[in-house]
Amino acid sequence: MDREVIRTGNFASDAANFILGQAHKALAERKEFRIALSGGNTPRPIYERLAVTGRDLAWESIRITFGDERCVPPDDPQSNFRMAREALFIPAAIPEKSIMRMRGEIDPQIAAREY
């Protein structure tokens, strides 16, 4: 994929639409879409928007991984998984088998090897 700078007036909506476009393209071409989610506060509104606009996606054919995770349990306020679960996974009814969670609650070396 070529790199491109996108200037936007509505970051969350435009980013969600970009992801949706890539997902639909990958699903049509390969029957699978893989995405690594970021954590922190910045992507939350994108995930919330994606949960609304992506209801028609074949979530069972999507593999979600994490680009980063904090060394905390999945229900900890600092957990990136928790944020994604609240903003995207639950509202979009994403099947558990589509989500590849890194276990932040165990020793980081072990969690990284498992992941």
Side-chain angles (χ1 to χ4, degrees):
M1 185 166 88
D2 294 329
R3 294 180 191 183
E4 163 183 10
V5 175
I6 300 171
R7 302 203 188 284
T8 177
N10 188 337
F11 176 68
S13 180
D14 290 346
N17 287 337
F18 176 80
I19 293 168
L20 281 173
Q22 295 300 308
H24 284 295
K25 182 179 174 186
L27 289 167
E29 291 174 1
R30 299 183 305 276
K31 308 289 188 251
E32 182 180 61
F33 176 64
R34 294 176 184 221
I35 185 168
L37 300 182
S38 295
N41 294 319
T42 303
R44 184 181 195 98
I46 298 165
Y47 301 161
E48 290 170 344
R49 183 75 185 142
L50 190 57
V52 173
T53 59
R55 292 197 185 273
D56 69 328
L57 281 176
W59 288 108
E60 65 280 356
S61 298
I62 295 175
R63 299 296 167 256
I64 300 169
T65 60
F66 289 83
D68 61 348
E69 179 56 291
R70 298 184 174 118
C71 297
V72 296
D75 58 349
D76 188 281
Q78 293 298 309
S79 170
N80 291 324
F81 170 80
R82 177 180 167 264
M83 181 276 292
R85 183 181 65 217
E86 292 173 353
L88 177 60
F89 304 157
I90 293 171
I94 297 175
E96 217 172 288
K97 72 174 193 149
S98 294
I99 304 162
M100 312 304 159
R101 181 180 84 84
M102 182 170 177
R103 296 193 309 147
E105 68 274 21
I106 64 173
D107 177 87
Q109 297 295 327
I110 295 169
R113 273 194 304 273
E114 285 183 357
Y115 202 59

